[in-house]
Amino acid sequence: MATKQELGVLAGARESVLGLFRWRTRVVVIDELGNESVEWQAPEWPANPFKLLGMLTANNWLYYSVGFLGWTFDAYDFHALSIQTTKLALYFNVSKSDVTTAITLTLLLRSVGAIIFGIAGDYWGRKWPFVVNMICLGLLQVGSIYAPTFNTFLAVRALFGIFMGGVFGGASSMALENVPVEARGLLSGVFQQGYSFGYVIAACANLGVGGATSSWPTMFWIGAGGSFAVGIARIFFPESRQFIEAKKNGGKGGHTGAFMKEAGVVVKQEWRRIIYAVILMALFNFFSHTTQDSYTTFMKVGKALDNAAASRASILMKTGACVGGTIIGYLSQSIGRRRAIFIAALMTAVLIPAWILPNTESGLEAGGFMLQFFVQGAWGVIPVHLQELSPPAFRASFPGITYQLGNAISSPSAQIVNELAEKVFTVMGPKGRRVEAYGPVMGVATAIIAVFIAVWIAVGPEKKGSRFEQASAAGAGPDLGHPEPLHKEPDHLVKTDSLEKDAHSDAPATLTRDASRH
């Protein structure tokens, strides 16, 4: 027989699924006293995107742009390796599968960096942890160039992964807490596409340096320069205003004991939400790495494209990602975060044949463009979705840690694809050649993951409209050593399995503070 606790979780999942198919969307609203509640509102026609962008001040743009560029070069630094798998295999005289071990190590250790720099960002602020992070990222990119052996290269890339992992939480919190609520969906989509933009820059650089094996260090030098530039630029403007005000609102400044006590309360009250977000991010990272990390290799090996053609196809593929992430992130402000992800995941599954079956460069470009439109379209919702689900005072650590723990779980994805493809052969290509089965392996894996994402997002929570920027900084508020919620819920909210839900809600409410302390 199911326990009361289990029934609560099942009831919450059922309400979430039903809510996904309702015309109205779940929106968090705040009354004049600052108390959060939820309402079901009819979707509004999407606002004029240029009007939304016009709401940003010069300072908003400054913080957002640096966060975006930090995330862009974090992605470039990663793709500078994955897009040159063949070159590095030849340079170090190892297999392509061996090279993907470096990708696995990088992804595996990013969660360590997310924990270190996420906590630092919530405790000390957005500025200096971000500066240190980006400069160390550049130094380790240089270290990768001078690795004398493949084992040394693997060791440097493992250490590199720690600093890569610290970027997302700090960059996304700095970028999105400094923009108007109404513009978050659009700017979340644009922000996430810093990842795709980093790939586009890497593909363009790879096209520019040519296919010679000796050209790979140039790609790494470009990444190092970009990381240094972003870190140094961040030095010249102040701490995020929202973080400074959050510290003032708490009344007594951040203290290590109070910070750790509050973190313990959050974990105790929100552990289900944390587990949900980690699994969601694991699925999403399988989603992106399975569809991109080996795609250049697939075009060269399976479709007999040369380096230039494969690079051009990669550029157009990720251009589709940038467009899709922006558009679907923008639409999520109207149709809801979960609904946008659900539709994008199912559309990805539908487009798999168009992605792997064409034999011409133009066909692969068109299929890749459309598939990545929806893969990264779903991803475009993630930054704001994680920020809204996050306990408000932990907006640097919660998104970064859950994102990178998911990355750690998905870390073998490229290696799994490569090893399976190298052991299984298929007839493919314009002349019916017998080749390594990159296409079928990637297609089957992507279909399975897309369906899993659709199911998981259907049963999950949503907090669109959350005013997370109004929260006090962690450790700056009153004593949080008690397990009860930190504010009194409105009467129409009922408690189910320790997760606050309204009678019609599709999601648990997150930890908040009474606005009288703001």
Side-chain angles (χ1 to χ4, degrees), residues 9 16 132 142 176 206 225 287 336 456 468 487:
V9 173
S16 291
V132 171
V142 174
L176 294 178
N206 190 46
F287 202 32
W456 194 244
F468 52 70
H487 73 291

Side-chain angles (χ1 to χ4, degrees), residues 29-37 470 487 512-516 518:
V29 296
I30 301 178
D31 63 21
E32 63 277 5
L33 298 177
N35 294 314
E36 284 192 0
S37 61
Q470 296 180 0
H487 73 291
T512 59
R513 288 176 172 77
D514 191 312
S516 64
H518 302 330

Side-chain angles (χ1 to χ4, degrees), residues 141-477:
Q141 194 77 324
V142 174
S144 301
I145 297 170
Y146 290 104
T149 66
F150 183 65
N151 286 336
T152 305
F153 181 81
L154 290 180
V156 174
R157 296 309 291 184
L159 188 59
F160 180 84
I162 295 176
F163 291 91
M164 281 194 72
V167 175
F168 179 80
S172 63
S173 59
M174 179 175 64
L176 294 178
E177 71 186 4
N178 283 285
V179 300
V181 175
E182 298 84 353
R184 279 187 196 155
L186 172 62
L187 291 172
S188 171
V190 175
F191 175 85
Q192 181 58 32
Q193 294 329 300
Y195 186 84
S196 299
F197 188 46
Y199 185 102
V200 170
I201 297 173
C204 289
N206 190 46
L207 183 62
V209 302
T213 302
S214 60
S215 66
W216 71 267
T218 305
M219 295 275 291
F220 285 71
W221 279 116
I222 294 170
S227 297
F228 286 140
V230 173
I232 292 169
R234 183 64 183 92
I235 294 174
F236 294 100
F237 60 98
E239 180 59 80
S240 174
R241 177 179 58 82
Q242 282 76 7
F243 187 84
I244 294 173
E245 291 180 352
K247 284 288 188 183
K248 291 179 180 177
N249 289 339
K252 31 178 202 179
H255 298 289
T256 302
F259 182 94
M260 297 306 296
K261 186 180 291 186
E262 184 170 353
V265 172
V266 166
V267 172
K268 184 175 182 179
Q269 293 185 351
E270 303 285 350
W271 63 270
R272 293 179 187 84
R273 191 186 299 277
I274 294 169
I275 292 173
Y276 170 81
V278 169
I279 294 174
L280 180 65
M281 288 297 92
L283 291 171
F284 261 88
N285 280 291
F286 272 116
F287 202 32
S288 59
H289 292 298
T290 299
T291 57
Q292 75 188 13
D293 290 355
S294 299
Y295 197 67
T296 302
T297 304
F298 158 69
M299 289 186 289
K300 290 180 178 179
V301 174
K303 302 298 182 177
L305 298 186
D306 59 22
N307 182 73
S311 296
R312 288 193 297 267
S314 295
I315 291 167
L316 285 174
M317 178 180 73
K318 280 303 183 179
T319 301
C322 294
V323 175
T326 301
I327 291 175
I328 295 178
Y330 165 60
L331 292 177
S332 76
Q333 196 70 27
S334 298
I335 67 175
R337 313 301 186 202
R338 294 187 310 122
R339 192 173 297 163
I341 292 171
F342 182 82
I343 294 170
L346 294 183
M347 286 301 299
T348 299
V350 170
L351 287 165
I352 289 172
W355 174 55
I356 61 173
L357 293 181
N359 290 319
T360 63
E361 179 185 341
S362 59
L364 291 168
E365 288 169 349
F369 182 98
M370 290 308 301
L371 184 115
Q372 286 296 329
F373 180 99
F374 288 104
V375 170
Q376 290 300 321
W379 264 107
V381 186
I382 287 298
V384 68
H385 190 44
L386 288 181
Q387 289 284 321
E388 289 172 341
L389 290 181
S390 173
F394 292 87
R395 296 191 309 279
S397 29
F398 179 90
I401 291 171
T402 55
Y403 182 104
Q404 300 302 354
L405 284 175
N407 241 332
I409 294 171
S410 70
S411 59
S413 55
Q415 198 166 7
I416 291 171
V417 168
N418 276 36
E419 289 191 359
L420 287 175
E422 289 176 356
K423 292 177 181 177
V424 180
F425 290 83
T426 186
V427 175
M428 187 174 285
K431 298 181 180 179
R433 299 176 302 116
R434 186 173 181 270
V435 296
E436 294 167 333
Y438 279 95
V441 170
M442 292 165 61
V444 171
T446 300
I448 293 170
I449 296 163
V451 172
F452 279 5
I453 286 175
V455 172
W456 194 244
I457 203 70
V459 301
E462 181 169 346
K463 285 207 69 184
K464 186 170 81 73
S466 173
R467 298 271 177 171
F468 52 70
E469 76 283 355
Q470 296 180 0
S472 300

